[in-house]
Amino acid sequence: MGLMSGLRHALRIDNWSTLNYKPLFSSPVTGMPERRAFPEAARPWVPAEDERRLAAYKLYSAYDHNQAGELAEIRDGAAARERREYGDPSMFVDTLVSHVLGREQSITVPGAEHAGQDGQDPGDATEAEMAARVQELLQEWADEELLPMRLLQAERKAVCLGDGVIHLWWDAEKQRPRITTYDPGFYFPVIGEDSDGTDFPTRVHFAWELPEDQKRGLPARLRRITYELDWIRPATASGVDRAGRPVRAPVLSEPADDEPPSPVLGRGDQVDSTGAITRIYPWSDTPSYRTVYLTDGIWLLEDLTGDVDVDSLPLDKAHFNTNGQGEVLDHLDIYQDFISVIHMPNTVPEAGEHWGQSSLAKPLQVFDEMAATDTDSARASGTTGLPMIAISGVSDHRQQFNVGPGALFTLGENGRMTAVDTSSALRELREHGHDLGDRAANVARLPAVALGTMDPSKVPSGYALELSLGPLDSNISGMRLARDHADRLIPKFVQRLFLAGQHPDWAGLKVMPAKISRGPYTPTDKAAVLDQVTTAYAAHVISLETAIRMLQDAGWPIEDAQQEIEQIQARSFEAARQLADATGDTQLVANYLGVNITPRETAPPTPQLPGLPSDATTTDPALEDQKGSGGNVS
């Protein structure tokens, strides 16, 4: 963050400085948001460095929900309510979300496509079978957990606000990992001073205020959920303190031989030679010294006095919640050495920065100009549809005039009536609005063909269409690069949570490298792709596996690549014949076709030459004489 101080104002340059042109967001004197408009960001428990971030989230949300005028009313008065907002920012957000997600999402495990293939080493075959099994289980989990919908929720937050947050946790009741999407305004990571912004924090808070509930007699409160990666400590159990609050207390052993009780280790924990506690997790063979502690507490806002923030709330005034198993959530050891919270920035963060940038940030001023133009157009359309009339030479000045169909006006001598035509001004305003729409699309790198505003009949060729999508391609590539770590962490964390939960389907499996694959986002010429794949496969420059994958990427209805390959091979009799001629291995041909072939157990009969007895042999001297003299045997 850069700060340049002057006599009358402060210039603040940070991740949200594109909003500084709004006096509501950046005070000319302090550079901070106006607290009347953003009271949530100025709460006493909110860290000072997060105030501008939370205010920016609210401002972007106001544009997304057509409420920018309602927010501006706080400073500009009731006149700001007349602002016309037709949903252009929301349309840009929805378009970018659909493109960055792609038409479909699937979880893939490298090597799964080689399962069941012949000619592999036993180790490679076992690895391929395990990869295929892990991929199948991950896809089943994605279907049960509605993964595409969860990703859509996170992506809309990321594109609109600049950041998305996903949390994965083990549900003992449903016996599977669950996925939750959080609003980034509830997300408060503790980033160390020595961190460059890309290191994952070792302590993460989710915090939000609970409003006063008069029916239940509950005052305003603050809830905070904390995940902290720390050293493994002795076991604890649920209990109560002297004030009757539920807390966790250390478990002590029974005293023996006049020895004082000692702390008890958790299940599977050991003490090494240095006295530190270690633990081996199911996804690693190396002892770990770390675990994650979960704390879920509620504070009364009236108790939060003094210099405290979300990271320094007084624990002695907290009321800790309990989970479904009755465990008090006061530094509860959840037996995992990773914080399963994934921060998904919308853009690749700048060096030393942790947060992403909203896709609305750059074209936001253009959206303001579009709203002003739409407001002027609405006013001009009123005078065009019901024009202003000037009447002169009225004989009776007490006469009332109502302009409408069939109206009759009585005028005096030399009287006339003139209509003021404002249609030309309306036409100019509309053209200006179209220019601003194109300007916003250019700034956001969304060509007209991506927004659906281009007439398809005006596209000269597919190549011209592909060139027009160039800015969108680079934009989506950068956005998907920022999400690449999340696409890899989600299936990785899911596998670890399944192993930690000791699910029977995952017995004997290990964590495999996996990734969420996002489908294509641009229109694809399936016929052209099919022609390319057919030509390349016939020329033996690509494998059948690659050909099937290319067809999948083009949108062909192929759900399981390996199953599709098996079905193709089961009908490739000519290829099977060539395989039999090349190898002579009947079992190999059977495996290729996916059928059982029973080889013949008896030798084929000896061919009989015509005109010879069945016991005749080619060693007859007469026959040998005839063959030697070139005669024919008949």
Side-chain angles (χ1 to χ4, degrees):
M1 178 183 297
L3 184 63
M4 301 180 184
S5 300
L7 295 177
R8 299 183 58 185
H9 69 277
L11 175 61
R12 188 179 295 267
I13 301 176
D14 58 10
N15 199 47
W16 303 276
S17 57
T18 52
L19 303 176
N20 284 350
Y21 76 96
K22 287 184 170 294
L24 193 68
F25 180 80
S26 180
S27 169
V29 178
T30 64
M32 298 301 291
E34 187 166 336
R35 297 197 170 186
R36 291 185 304 159
F38 309 101
E40 306 87 354
R43 302 299 294 173
W45 57 270
V46 174
E49 60 270 16
D50 290 312
E51 187 171 344
R52 282 171 59 85
R53 175 173 69 92
L54 299 186
Y57 290 161
K58 183 175 182 179
L59 185 59
Y60 290 136
S61 296
Y63 275 86
D64 184 36
H65 293 84
N66 289 352
Q67 292 180 286
E70 184 177 346
L71 189 62
E73 182 185 6
I74 299 174
R75 177 183 175 89
D76 301 334
R81 283 275 191 168
E82 299 180 4
R83 173 191 178 108
R84 301 286 180 169
E85 298 178 79
Y86 297 142
D88 293 286
S90 180
M91 179 193 64
F92 273 58
V93 170
D94 291 335
T95 302
L96 283 171
V97 168
S98 63
H99 288 331
V100 76
L101 267 180
R103 287 196 292 267
E104 68 276 334
Q105 302 81 42
S106 60
I107 299 180
T108 58
V109 179
E113 67 274 10
H114 300 301
Q117 292 184 356
D118 298 320
Q120 299 185 87
D121 294 335
D124 295 338
T126 303
E127 194 77 8
E129 293 292 339
M130 183 178 296
R133 178 57 178 164
V134 169
Q135 178 175 281
E136 178 184 1
L137 292 174
L138 288 175
Q139 291 174 349
E140 291 178 359
W141 169 83
D143 292 337
E144 294 177 353
E145 198 55 26
L146 304 178
L147 180 62
M149 186 187 71
R150 305 298 182 188
L151 290 177
L152 178 60
Q153 293 173 341
E155 284 294 353
R156 209 178 192 292
K157 292 291 185 184
V159 173
C160 180
L161 306 182
D163 302 283
V165 181
I166 294 175
H167 177 221
L168 291 157
W169 51 281
W170 175 255
D171 190 334
E173 181 179 354
K174 294 185 177 294
Q175 285 293 298
R176 72 169 186 263
R178 303 296 304 278
I179 182 170
T180 304
T181 301
Y182 279 96
D183 189 293
F186 301 157
Y187 172 63
F188 296 91
V190 180
I191 302 175
E193 296 180 355
D194 298 333
S195 174
D196 63 349
T198 59
D199 297 332
F200 196 84
T202 58
R203 187 163 64 254
V204 170
H205 303 295
F206 292 103
W208 62 92
E209 289 190 9
L210 303 173
E212 179 182 2
D213 190 346
Q214 296 182 354
K215 292 183 178 180
R216 300 169 57 191
L218 296 175
R221 295 149 294 154
L222 171 68
R223 183 179 180 184
R224 189 193 72 179
I225 302 175
T226 301
Y227 294 90
E228 183 176 9
L229 184 65
D230 204 351
W231 304 107
I232 301 175
R233 296 190 287 267
T236 59
S238 300
V240 294
D241 61 4
R242 296 179 179 179
R245 295 185 313 133
V247 294
R248 299 195 69 81
V251 178
L252 302 179
S253 63
E254 293 290 338
D257 299 333
D258 297 330
E259 294 183 0
S262 59
V264 176
L265 299 181
R267 63 179 187 274
D269 294 350
Q270 295 181 353
V271 179
D272 65 2
S273 58
T274 64
I277 303 176
T278 64
R279 179 184 301 165
I280 295 181
Y281 292 98
W283 48 85
S284 176
D285 297 331
T286 304
S288 176
Y289 294 87
R290 297 286 189 121
T291 189
V292 174
Y293 295 96
L294 168 62
T295 302
D296 185 356
I298 295 179
W299 286 259
L300 299 179
L301 291 182
E302 59 188 23
D303 291 339
L304 302 181
T305 59
D307 188 15
V308 297
D309 60 16
V310 70
D311 191 44
S312 60
L313 299 179
L315 295 180
D316 58 338
K317 295 183 179 181
H319 176 83
F320 298 107
N321 295 321
T322 58
N323 60 13
Q325 290 73 41
E327 294 285 350
V328 179
L329 302 180
D330 173 20
H331 293 85
L332 174 65
D333 188 348
I334 60 176
Y335 281 81
Q336 61 186 54
D337 61 349
F338 61 96
I339 299 178
S340 53
V341 176
I342 301 174
H343 170 236
M344 186 171 63
N346 181 51
T347 57
V348 176
E350 297 182 1
E353 185 62 66
H354 179 77
W355 307 100
Q357 190 176 67
S358 169
S359 295
L360 299 179
K362 300 295 177 59
L364 201 64
Q365 293 193 49
V366 186
F367 288 135
D368 285 341
E369 294 292 335
M370 293 174 64
T373 302
D374 292 336
T375 303
D376 294 339
S377 297
R379 294 170 178 170
S381 63
T383 60
T384 301
L386 188 63
M388 295 177 288
I389 304 296
I391 300 177
S392 63
V394 179
S395 58
D396 186 1
H397 295 285
R398 294 174 299 178
Q399 183 179 358
Q400 299 293 328
F401 298 97
N402 293 318
V403 180
L408 178 63
F409 303 95
T410 302
L411 305 179
E413 186 178 358
N414 298 325
R416 68 174 183 268
M417 182 173 60
T418 304
V420 180
D421 184 11
T422 61
S423 59
S424 58
L426 178 60
R427 188 181 307 108
E428 289 294 330
L429 286 172
R430 287 180 175 176
E431 292 179 358
H432 183 55
H434 291 317
D435 293 341
L436 290 175
D438 295 339
R439 185 72 169 270
N442 292 335
V443 173
R445 289 188 293 174
L446 275 176
V449 63
L451 290 171
T453 58
M454 175 181 287
D455 186 359
S457 61
K458 296 182 179 180
V459 180
S461 64
Y463 182 70
L465 176 63
E466 185 175 356
L467 288 178
S468 66
L469 291 173
L472 178 64
D473 291 338
S474 61
N475 187 19
I476 298 300
S477 296
M479 296 174 69
R480 288 192 173 185
L481 178 62
R483 292 153 173 79
D484 185 70
H485 75 292
D487 293 341
R488 299 177 186 274
L489 284 180
I490 290 176
K492 179 181 180 180
F493 287 172
V494 169
Q495 296 178 72
R496 289 186 173 185
L497 290 174
F498 266 120
L499 294 178
Q502 298 181 357
H503 196 282
D505 291 343
W506 288 78
L509 299 179
K510 66 178 183 179
V511 177
M512 305 288 292
K515 184 181 180 181
I516 297 178
S517 300
R518 301 169 183 249
Y521 57 90
T522 55
T524 305
D525 189 350
K526 294 183 179 180
V529 174
L530 177 61
D531 183 66
Q532 295 175 358
V533 169
T534 304
T535 303
Y537 180 68
H540 304 290
V541 296
I542 62 173
S543 64
L544 182 58
E545 290 79 6
T546 303
I548 295 298
R549 191 179 302 112
M550 291 174 63
L551 293 178
Q552 281 184 308
D553 294 340
W556 285 78
I558 300 175
E559 297 181 358
D560 191 333
Q562 183 58 34
Q563 182 180 1
E564 191 72 17
I565 293 172
E566 294 175 356
Q567 292 177 352
I568 293 174
Q569 292 179 347
R571 296 169 176 81
S572 301
F573 301 111
E574 180 62 24
R577 184 188 64 79
Q578 295 176 359
L579 180 63
D581 294 341
T583 62
D585 191 338
T586 305
Q587 186 59 41
L588 186 61
V589 176
N591 295 337
Y592 179 84
L593 294 174
V595 297
N596 294 326
I597 299 179
T598 304
R600 296 177 178 177
E601 298 181 355
T602 58
T606 304
Q608 298 294 326
L609 298 177
L612 294 178
S614 59
D615 57 348
T617 62
T618 55
T619 58
D620 189 351
L623 295 177
E624 293 293 336
D625 293 342
Q626 295 183 16
K627 288 190 291 183
S629 59
N632 295 327
V633 178
S634 60

